[in-house]
Amino acid sequence: MARWVLANGARTVLEPSFGDGVFLRALAAAGDARVLGAELNPAPFSAAVADGLLRGDDAHGGDFLAWHPPPVDAVIGNPPYVRLRHLPVDQQARALEVAAAAIPEGMQSSGSVWMAFVLHAANALRVGGRMALVLPFELTHVRYARPLWRWLGSAFGALRVVRVHERLFPELLQDVVVLFAEDRGGSTADVGFEALETVASFVSAVPRAASASVSIEALLAGERGFMEALLPRAVHDALLALAPLTVPVRALCSFHIGYVSADKDFFHPDAATCARFSVPEASLVPALTSSRQVQRLRTSTIASETASERRLFLPRSAPNAVLSSADAAYVAHGESLGVHQRYKCRTRQPWFRVPDVRVPDVVLSVFSERPILAINDAGFVATNSLLCGFLKAGTAEALVAAWYTSLTVLGLELQVHALGGGVMVVVPGEAGKVRVVRVAAIPDGHVERLAAALAAGDVAGAYALGDDAILRGVLGVSAETVAAVQEGVRVLARWRDRRGSAVTTD
Ligand SMILES: C[S@@+](CC[C@H](N)C(=O)[O-])C[C@H]1O[C@@H](n2cnc3c(N)ncnc32)[C@H](O)[C@@H]1O
């Protein structure tokens, strides 16, 4: 990165948060440019100045966003990745100010400070200048970064994102990419993208041309261009061939997060507690409350062994009606425990009525790359350990038949974000974009076979059943196309789940 920022003759380089000075050292090794830098933390700041990594006059000890460095030819660095809401208020306010000055939408406080760093550092660049930054992978897909992509496209003549399979920072759980932006003052409609295997190949390949191109317009529309760019040609062809046979699942079913009770034990009293307070049967709604129950779900909640281990306390009276004496006794018990003072309860009216409790048509597990979709024939309500699905078209059986194929798994890999450790978290907005096949006829016994595979704990087997019975059998998709979809799943899963990948030093 240091070689690249210096390659077009930069004389001044800015490092906005130099920390231990790894980039300052790399710059010194790669040339003799004047280096300007900021660092909030006093100890590394003083150490870098004492070590002569930059001159005291060129160094700002404090918030980079409060500093207006002179114009520079290049920027290099790895800014902090801290959510604005976790910053001290003054730093938070400056980040919002910097973002608002650069982009009309400004920035949401749910966003992270790296975005303000990108804008502020890029604004220090002279026309023609370039910038290389290590940024969190979320840059490539989070909604709050979309205005940044529009801005980058209007501020640089060429943009490139590099993702390396081997971890660039093995000690970080956070997945990162490297953004190379050049020709400040130019503009571009596309971002070059390159996926590399090893850190060594990254170091030697930096000046190489990108192998794929992602349209900024598509990023603004919420497409996952940087994920699609990881897929081999044959998988793209397969997705194109299958597109006419598919719909986004949100056309068939709308997914919502389950309810949040605020106090699991109080709102889901066990049998002994119900007996002690004579909680009326009518005030208890069978509920799915734990991921353990979710793992035991089959294709239907009735078929599962989950039958109402837990029930939600939901007194049936209208919001301001008088409670029955038994309900009132249990509510008083909650107050004696201080449940009514919980944050979520305080904002409810009355505090003991859990909002947004609806019986979904289907439920979907959340923490898995092969989530379980089950028909809610038992009429359970569900907490936010599940997504609740409400049918918009077709039957629940048809949705189940459409869901369990590798095409859905590929759609999840493309659309759904993962936590740092690689665990996928299925959220409604992302899940709704997953494309599933349209199934007009369900083969006899197919749903039962899916249930049997799930009952045996073979979730992957259930999805594979759909590849044979639905993709190949009902829709007549070729074996090559199905194999390409399965290959796409493997490729993206390998990028997502990199916990085992160690850094090699060659
Ligand atoms: C991810 S580290 C990167 C350090 C260095 N660029 C590197 O790659 O080794 C982020 C650095 O930003 C510093 N930092 C955090 N907030 C800052 C701010 N508002 N202004 C300047 N530096 C900040 C932290 O102290 C930390 O050293």
Side-chain angles (χ1 to χ4, degrees):
M1 289 168 66
R3 279 203 307 269
W4 183 82
V5 295
L6 295 176
N8 70 342
R11 298 305 308 147
T12 46
V13 186
L14 169 69
E15 209 304 15
S17 55
F18 56 73
D20 295 336
V22 57
F23 286 111
L24 305 183
R25 285 189 182 82
L27 289 168
D32 60 355
R34 177 180 159 204
V35 181
L36 295 92
E39 173 53 52
L40 185 65
N41 188 340
F45 172 81
S46 309
V49 175
D51 288 352
L53 293 175
L54 70 184
R55 291 199 338 238
D57 296 351
D58 292 336
H60 173 74
D63 184 356
F64 166 63
L65 301 177
W67 184 41
H68 294 280
V72 292
D73 302 319
V75 166
I76 192 169
N78 177 18
Y81 310 161
V82 184
R83 302 255 159 242
L84 294 194
R85 59 170 172 265
H86 297 146
L87 286 177
V89 280
D90 57 331
Q91 286 179 41
Q92 194 179 113
R94 273 193 291 268
L96 290 172
E97 243 168 68
V98 162
I103 46 182
E105 300 89 332
M107 199 183 152
Q108 298 153 11
S109 58
S110 57
S112 177
V113 71
W114 60 261
M115 182 160 143
F117 268 65
V118 173
L119 292 163
H120 197 54
N123 275 333
L125 279 175
R126 289 199 180 92
V127 169
R130 47 171 63 183
M131 175 168 88
L133 292 175
V134 180
L135 294 171
F137 173 66
E138 67 178 23
L139 160 74
T140 65
H141 64 86
V142 286
R143 181 181 286 269
Y144 77 79
R146 288 185 201 162
L148 178 67
W149 282 115
R150 187 185 301 116
W151 185 86
L152 287 168
S154 70
F156 288 96
L159 297 165
R160 188 153 49 103
V161 164
V162 181
R163 195 172 173 199
V164 185
H165 189 266
E166 201 175 39
R167 284 197 178 275
L168 286 177
F169 299 97
E171 68 285 3
L172 277 191
L173 208 50
Q174 184 110 21
D175 214 347
V176 298
V177 293
V178 184
L179 172 70
F180 295 94
E182 59 190 299
D183 184 20
R184 177 78 173 97
S187 68
T188 180
D190 304 293
V191 186
F193 176 70
E194 195 161 3
L196 299 170
E197 277 300 311
T198 62
V199 175
S201 62
F202 170 65
V203 172
S204 58
V206 159
R208 206 171 71 189
S211 52
S213 170
V214 174
S215 128
I216 291 180
E217 210 50 51
L219 293 176
L220 297 183
E223 286 179 26
R224 292 284 170 91
F226 291 105
M227 296 300 287
E228 287 167 19
L230 292 169
L231 293 172
R233 185 64 204 247
V235 184
H236 282 281
D237 292 345
L239 286 174
L240 274 179
L242 287 168
L245 306 176
T246 66
V247 280
V249 70
R250 65 176 171 223
L252 305 177
C253 179
S254 73
F255 286 103
H256 300 269
I257 199 99
Y259 67 83
V260 178
S261 73
D263 186 319
K264 190 170 169 189
D265 288 336
F266 173 78
F267 285 105
H268 304 93
D270 59 18
T273 310
C274 290
R276 188 176 144 211
F277 291 93
S278 307
V279 180
E281 279 297 305
S283 302
L284 295 165
V285 188
L288 294 167
T289 60
S290 74
S291 51
R292 198 171 45 81
Q293 281 174 305
V294 173
Q295 277 160 16
R296 283 194 271 129
L297 285 182
R298 317 256 169 92
T299 51
S300 93
T301 52
I302 280 185
S304 316
E305 298 152 25
T306 49
S308 131
E309 278 168 16
R310 291 285 199 149
R311 293 185 294 169
L312 170 69
F313 175 64
L314 194 70
R316 290 294 163 93
S317 56
N320 293 318
V322 179
L323 289 174
S324 72
S325 58
D327 282 333
Y330 191 59
V331 165
H333 170 61
E335 285 170 5
S336 75
L337 297 173
V339 179
H340 62 305
Q341 276 156 355
R342 291 281 181 94
Y343 168 69
K344 286 259 181 293
C345 293
R346 270 184 295 158
T347 57
R348 284 177 195 157
Q349 193 53 263
W351 71 264
F352 50 81
R353 192 173 302 282
V354 177
D356 306 322
V357 180
R358 287 197 289 156
V359 177
D361 298 314
V362 296
V363 288
L364 183 68
S365 59
V366 171
F367 292 111
S368 170
E369 69 270 24
R370 283 186 176 75
I372 294 174
L373 180 79
I375 301 169
N376 187 24
D377 38 15
F380 291 157
V381 295
T383 67
N384 61 349
S385 52
L386 285 164
L387 294 194
C388 295
F390 298 87
L391 287 176
K392 290 160 88 177
T395 64
E397 281 77 14
L399 183 66
V400 163
W403 180 266
Y404 285 97
T405 77
S406 290
L407 186 69
T408 305
V409 185
L410 181 54
L412 289 160
E413 291 285 359
L414 280 169
Q415 301 294 346
V416 175
H417 74 282
L419 300 176
V423 177
M424 202 181 267
V425 190
V426 185
V427 296
E430 294 174 348
K433 291 189 197 167
V434 171
R435 296 192 80 90
V436 297
V437 285
R438 278 188 291 226
V439 183
I442 309 170
D444 280 349
H446 180 58
V447 174
E448 290 73 13
R449 282 189 288 278
L450 290 176
L454 295 172
D458 186 11
V459 183
Y463 281 94
L465 278 172
D467 290 358
D468 287 338
I470 304 294
L471 294 184
R472 301 273 289 122
V474 175
L475 299 169
V477 175
S478 74
E480 294 71 40
T481 299
V482 173
V485 170
Q486 293 166 342
E487 173 61 9
V489 171
R490 274 189 293 277
V491 168
L492 295 187
R494 183 173 168 273
W495 276 96
R496 174 174 48 77
D497 185 1
R498 301 184 305 146
R499 282 164 291 188
S501 65
V503 167
T504 53
T505 47
D506 59 341

